[in-house]
Structures are given as C-alpha cells and as structure tokens.
Amino acid sequence: MTARLMPAGPAALPLPGSYLPAPGDPAWANMLGRDQVEVRRVTRAQAAALMHLCDRHKAERPPTPGTRAAGGVLELMEALFEAPLRAWAWIAERRGEPAGYAFATVGFSMVERAYYLNLETLFVPASARPSDVASRLFDAARRMASDLGCVDLRWQVPVGQGGAPMAMPGHTGAATMIQYVFPPLRSDQDD
C-alpha cells in the first residue's frame, strides 16, 4: 500500500534525509559547487559503471525478505538502448568518478489518462552524502519527464529509515511506501 503526498511548492521538494542536509545546515557551505558534478544519460560505454553503482546500492540496502535474484544485464540494456525505449538512466560523475545514478520508467495513470515518469531509483553512495549529486540526478529525471510530455514525476520511497510500516486511517493494513509527486522541470528551467 502507498500513500501519495504532493509537495507544497518548489521550496518543499522532499528528498530522503540521508541524501541532502537540512536547510540551514553548515554542510551546505562545505559542499562542492554544482559545476563540478556532471550528470549525463547513461550510454552503452557507461553500462559497467552503472552496474557497479547498482551493486554498491544493493550492498548498502538492508536485506529485503522475499526479493528475487537479479536478472541479467541483457534486459536492462534492451530497455535503455533499444527502441522503443522503456527506461532511462543517468549517471553522475564528480571529477570523472561515478558518484551516483538515477533510473526511471514511464507509467500510465488511468485516472489522469496521462503518462508519468516513475523514478525507480536514485542512489548516491553513503560515503558521498550529503552532496549536491542527488539533487542534480533528481533534476535530470524531472527534465526528462518534461521532455517526454509526462504529467509529472513520481517517486516511491520507503516509509522511515528502517522501513517501518505507517498505519493508514481506516485501513487494517499499513503503508510501507510513500509516493511523492513532482511537477516536471523544463530543460531550460532551474529549480
């Protein structure tokens, strides 16, 4: 079960707390400038770096009971590079070294009768947090939502750091994910 939250406005774009420092935190002053981070769509030449970041992501996540073993790379390569494209990925580099990645797919909302871009994953290694890498990857995904004509960008994140379920009023079950919904970001727009 998921709960859907809409941010109040541009100033309230909630990202998981471990990725960005709180507003006013002195860590912001220590972060490297945005011009030192390069974010690009993943190319075939970067597939090995993407897979390495995926492995690191998996190693940093707490074990999830009932998850299946990972599939092969072939399906990922087909989704990213063969028409019709079914997935998009971005890799961030700081000083030429991989510093994080984001991965998205397109979904369709029957209620809104429109496509949306689903941010499946946004990962920055724990050793590189907090940093501006996460916000740069996030902006790239929002721009792709706009470029694809999607109504919005949606991102499901686990409830709480420990994945504790959140009780929903009037339901016997509990939510384990929250879905955030963000407006697309035009290619010529800064947030």
Side-chain angles (χ1 to χ4, degrees), residues 132-152:
D132 55 341
V133 174
S135 63
R136 297 286 305 274
L137 288 163
F138 185 75
D139 287 349
R142 288 182 65 204
R143 284 187 183 91
M144 182 56 69
S146 176
D147 293 350
L148 293 173
C150 294
V151 67
D152 53 41

Side-chain angles (χ1 to χ4, degrees), residues 84-158:
L85 296 181
R86 296 166 302 286
W88 292 262
W90 301 266
I91 194 164
E93 294 179 340
R94 188 180 294 279
R95 290 182 231 102
E97 294 296 318
Y101 78 97
F103 181 83
T105 59
V106 171
F108 186 80
S109 169
M110 184 61 188
V111 172
E112 295 164 323
R113 293 181 186 89
Y115 291 102
Y116 61 88
L117 192 64
N118 187 43
L119 184 58
E120 302 278 346
T121 304
L122 190 150
F123 173 71
V124 176
S127 61
R129 296 181 221 150
S131 72
D132 55 341
V133 174
S135 63
R136 297 286 305 274
L137 288 163
F138 185 75
D139 287 349
R142 288 182 65 204
R143 284 187 183 91
M144 182 56 69
S146 176
D147 293 350
L148 293 173
C150 294
V151 67
D152 53 41
L153 174 74
R154 299 177 186 190
W155 186 14
Q156 290 188 150
V157 294

Side-chain angles (χ1 to χ4, degrees), residues 70-81 86-87 103:
V73 177
L74 178 62
E75 291 85 358
L76 175 64
M77 299 300 280
E78 288 175 350
L80 287 173
F81 304 118
R86 296 166 302 286
F103 181 83

Side-chain angles (χ1 to χ4, degrees), residues 20-36:
L20 295 173
D25 188 314
W28 283 105
N30 299 328
M31 290 191 325
L32 298 173
R34 290 177 68 95
D35 59 338
Q36 294 182 337

Side-chain angles (χ1 to χ4, degrees), residues 19-73:
Y19 286 92
L20 295 173
D25 188 314
W28 283 105
N30 299 328
M31 290 191 325
L32 298 173
R34 290 177 68 95
D35 59 338
Q36 294 182 337
V37 174
E38 299 272 344
V39 174
R40 294 186 189 95
R41 285 253 321 262
V42 170
T43 64
R44 288 182 188 271
Q46 294 169 314
L50 176 64
M51 296 314 297
H52 176 73
L53 284 167
C54 289
D55 291 344
R56 190 163 177 190
H57 184 192
K58 185 177 177 182
E60 288 188 19
R61 283 189 341 204
T64 308
T67 55
R68 297 183 311 146
V73 177

